[in-house]
């Protein structure tokens, strides 16, 4: 394959939609802005946030070139991204779910990826964990990995320090 086979899109000048703007979402927004992206965010519990324009979920779905999920799985967020939401998205959108499995309906995602509505997806969380159905992983436009964000040496050091601080505070009581 020649170098043409590696041609991809730049993210500068594109729009990132963040669903959930808690601690991780805020950090993603800061980095995306530094890379030249416009950042939209939807979070019904947040009234203002740096680096983002808060919008409705429908506005985010319609305008974003990339959508990244950063929210817990609750009764409200279960299957939040389903066939109807994929239909509202731009053709060629890319979806990232590193939040929780079950927020995205995997059958609807498979259909959207297969049709080209969604150009690509990166996922590290699944409706059933460990996954029993691997049809998403078999698609060429999907990157799957285990959910291991806290498995770096640095993150493990922070967790150990936090546990030590909690134990020290408990012992003082």
């Amino acid at each position: 394959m020649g170098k043409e086979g590696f041609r991809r899109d730049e993210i500068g000048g594109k729009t990132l939609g963040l669903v959930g703007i808690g601690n991780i979402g805020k950090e993603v927004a800061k980095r995306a802005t530094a890379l030249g992206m416009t950042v939209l965010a939807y979070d019904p519990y947040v009234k203002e946030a740096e680096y983002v324009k808060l919008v409705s979920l429908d506005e985010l779905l319609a305008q974003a070139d990339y959508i990244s999920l950063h929210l817990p799985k609750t009764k409200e967020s279960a299957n939040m991204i389903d066939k109807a939401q994929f239909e509202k998205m731009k053709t060629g959108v890319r979806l990232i779910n590193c939040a929780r499995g079950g927020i995205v309906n995997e059958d609807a995602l498979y259909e959207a990826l297969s049709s080209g509505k969604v150009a690509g997806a990166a996922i590290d969380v699944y409706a059933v964990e460990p996954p029993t159905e691997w049809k998403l992983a078999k698609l060429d436009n999907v990157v799957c990995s285990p959910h291991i964000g806290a498995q770096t040496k640095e993150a493990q050091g922070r967790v150990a320090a936090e546990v030590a601080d909690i134990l020290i505070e408990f012992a003082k009581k």
Side-chain angles (χ1 to χ4, degrees):
M1 170 170 47
K3 63 184 177 180
E4 295 80 22
F6 293 100
R7 188 169 292 147
R8 297 293 181 255
D9 299 324
E10 294 183 3
I11 59 173
K14 300 293 191 309
T15 300
L16 171 64
L18 299 174
V19 180
I21 190 76
N23 292 332
I24 295 172
K26 288 175 188 172
E27 290 298 322
V28 171
K30 186 187 321 182
R31 286 158 177 79
T33 300
L35 293 170
M37 298 185 87
T38 299
V39 184
L40 306 177
Y42 167 75
D43 191 319
Y45 304 104
V46 173
K47 300 298 178 223
E48 61 181 49
E50 283 188 289
Y51 306 105
V52 305
K53 177 182 177 189
L54 294 171
V55 296
S56 70
L57 180 59
D58 283 349
E59 288 175 275
L60 185 149
L61 296 174
Q63 295 177 33
D65 300 298
Y66 296 83
I67 297 173
S68 187
L69 307 178
H70 301 279
L71 65 160
K73 184 181 176 193
T74 64
K75 288 179 187 176
E76 292 80 23
S77 66
N79 286 311
M80 177 183 203
I81 307 298
D82 205 344
K83 185 175 181 171
Q85 287 69 42
F86 285 116
E87 290 172 358
K88 294 175 184 179
M89 294 177 190
K90 287 182 174 182
T91 298
V93 68
R94 290 172 173 86
L95 180 75
I96 303 143
N97 185 10
C98 298
R100 294 289 177 260
I103 294 172
V104 176
N105 179 301
E106 292 176 0
D107 290 332
L109 175 58
Y110 182 86
E111 186 177 309
L113 285 159
S114 297
S115 73
K117 179 69 175 189
V118 174
I123 49 180
D124 74 351
V125 290
Y126 310 92
V128 174
E129 295 199 17
T132 56
E133 173 59 59
W134 288 96
K135 68 182 182 179
L136 283 170
K138 293 176 184 174
L139 293 173
D140 290 337
N141 54 351
V142 176
V143 175
C144 295
S145 70
H147 189 71
I148 55 171
Q151 295 304 313
T152 63
K153 291 182 280 186
E154 296 84 359
Q156 290 296 301
R158 285 191 300 272
V159 169
E162 187 175 328
V163 169
D165 289 343
I166 291 168
L167 290 173
I168 290 167
E169 285 301 312
F170 180 75
K172 288 181 182 178
K173 291 182 181 182

